[in-house]
Amino acid sequence: TMVSDFLTSKMVPSEYLNLPMLVIYLCNPPPTEFKVATKLAVKEMSKIEEYEHFKRQNLPCLPIERFNWGMELDPEIYGDWVVLKPENIQSTGKDVNMVPTKLIPNLKLDDFPENHLIREDSYLVQKFVKTGEMPAHFRVCTFLDEILFSTRLTSIYPYPDDNSNLKAFLSRTVASNKQDSRVREFIKDSEVNELAMRVSASLPKHPLLGIDILRDELDQKLYVIEANVGGNVWSFSSTMATHIPEYSPLSKKDRILQYGAWDRAAEALVRKTHELAK
């Protein structure tokens, strides 16, 4: 049973209370537990907490830490380039910038455009991986260890030229999820899906994941960037998704044709309910 946060056991027909029941909260789990059933719920983790989890699980990931003015980064760890990205204002793709590692210690607020999100949010700094001529990443949506769909998002704008000046770097986003400047494709990539399943298996208590993965253009290695363990996967748990064409009812056909998303979700619910009932 997928329920909203106001459901209590008193609202469930009594004949169901003796049956195996799994309650899944896709957003905003209530403070009071649902006491008649096994419960799974999304739970927020910071991007740094996710990274630490990936490291413990030996999953390929990229170093990340909070950005502080004047900080120095070890080029042996971060390489020649890093990405600056907002910590809390996410999913918009705005103001995600690639910057030479050597310039990080000397950055000043005045270097950034007046409307830059660094004036509104704390920031993270992460090792940069170039994914091709254009920024691109994979998004794999998993539900109870089943892949429901997998896509590749590619920016319509190339990376800044390596010889650009600092102003150009800080005014050009390198995120491939910016809604007004991206192309989304439904793709089947066995290596990407295999890594996504490893990530999913490492987070058994998190029912719904939106796993973001990068492929390095130089050596083709894959890296998991984040898993969105808080349920921020748009197509399932965000009312904002209803206003985005690629998540409209018309796109349901794509998800059915790719992996049969609705059937997979239903089968996963039955399997998990029986598994937990034992």
Side-chain angles (χ1 to χ4, degrees):
T1 302
M2 291 191 196
V3 298
S4 53
D5 57 4
F6 56 79
L7 183 74
T8 67
S9 58
K10 295 180 180 179
M11 300 167 67
V12 177
S14 59
E15 61 266 29
Y16 291 120
L17 297 182
N18 293 323
L19 298 175
M21 184 183 298
L22 168 64
V23 177
I24 297 178
Y25 294 92
L26 299 184
C27 57
N28 304 323
T32 303
E33 299 287 333
F34 193 88
K35 296 183 179 179
V36 300
T38 297
K39 187 196 82 166
L40 293 176
V42 299
K43 184 180 180 181
E44 291 285 354
M45 290 172 64
S46 73
K47 301 310 175 191
I48 293 179
E49 288 172 331
E50 285 192 9
Y51 167 68
E52 295 294 339
H53 169 81
F54 298 151
K55 280 204 307 182
R56 289 193 299 270
Q57 297 296 318
N58 294 315
L59 294 164
C61 52
L62 298 172
I64 188 173
E65 60 185 282
R66 286 189 174 84
F67 169 75
N68 294 296
W69 301 107
M71 71 186 306
E72 294 188 7
L73 298 174
D74 185 347
E76 293 294 322
I77 297 175
Y78 283 93
D80 294 332
W81 295 86
V82 292
V83 169
L84 286 172
K85 61 184 183 180
E87 182 172 13
N88 303 300
I89 303 176
Q90 301 167 13
S91 302
T92 67
K94 185 178 185 300
D95 296 338
V96 178
N97 312 118
M98 57 180 282
V99 179
T101 306
K102 63 184 180 181
L103 296 186
I104 292 295
N106 299 318
L107 284 181
K108 303 182 296 296
L109 186 59
D110 289 345
D111 293 326
F112 293 81
E114 289 187 5
N115 63 345
H116 198 282
L117 289 179
I118 203 165
R119 303 176 190 278
E120 303 176 35
D121 195 4
S122 54
Y123 255 63
L124 303 171
V125 58
Q126 187 167 39
K127 184 174 181 176
F128 170 76
V129 164
K130 192 173 184 181
T131 58
E133 182 181 352
M134 312 291 191
H137 79 280
F138 300 92
R139 161 61 66 93
V140 182
C141 179
T142 66
F143 179 62
L144 300 176
D145 294 323
E146 290 282 350
I147 293 177
L148 299 190
F149 62 85
S150 55
T151 59
R152 179 172 55 211
L153 288 83
T154 306
S155 173
I156 63 175
Y157 299 111
Y159 288 103
D161 185 274
D162 289 356
N163 296 317
S164 300
N165 58 35
L166 181 60
K167 181 178 180 180
F169 289 132
L170 298 180
S171 61
R172 174 86 67 85
T173 186
V174 295
S176 46
N177 66 328
K178 196 167 188 298
Q179 293 173 19
D180 57 355
S181 59
R182 68 186 183 191
V183 175
R184 178 185 290 268
E185 310 164 86
F186 283 83
I187 58 97
K188 294 182 179 180
D189 187 304
S190 59
E191 291 183 341
V192 170
N193 287 353
E194 188 274 334
L195 176 54
M197 290 303 295
R198 287 174 58 195
V199 174
S200 177
S202 78
L203 293 161
K205 295 183 179 180
H206 297 267
L208 180 65
L209 301 174
I211 302 166
D212 293 331
I213 295 171
L214 299 181
R215 174 175 277 134
D216 190 325
E217 72 161 348
L218 295 179
D219 56 18
Q220 300 300 298
K221 288 183 179 179
L222 297 175
Y223 299 94
V224 57
I225 299 300
E226 55 190 80
N228 291 284
V229 296
N232 181 22
V233 302
W234 297 96
S235 53
F236 270 78
S237 52
S238 172
T239 55
M240 292 178 66
T242 60
H243 305 295
I244 302 174
E246 62 202 44
Y247 291 119
S248 71
L250 293 176
S251 70
K252 178 177 180 179
K253 180 179 179 181
D254 294 319
R255 287 165 174 75
I256 292 174
L257 290 176
Q258 188 182 38
Y259 298 123
W262 274 256
D263 289 342
R264 280 199 173 189
E267 292 165 1
L269 283 167
V270 173
R271 172 181 48 77
K272 181 60 73 171
T273 301
H274 288 176
E275 173 188 316
L276 294 174
K278 296 177 182 179

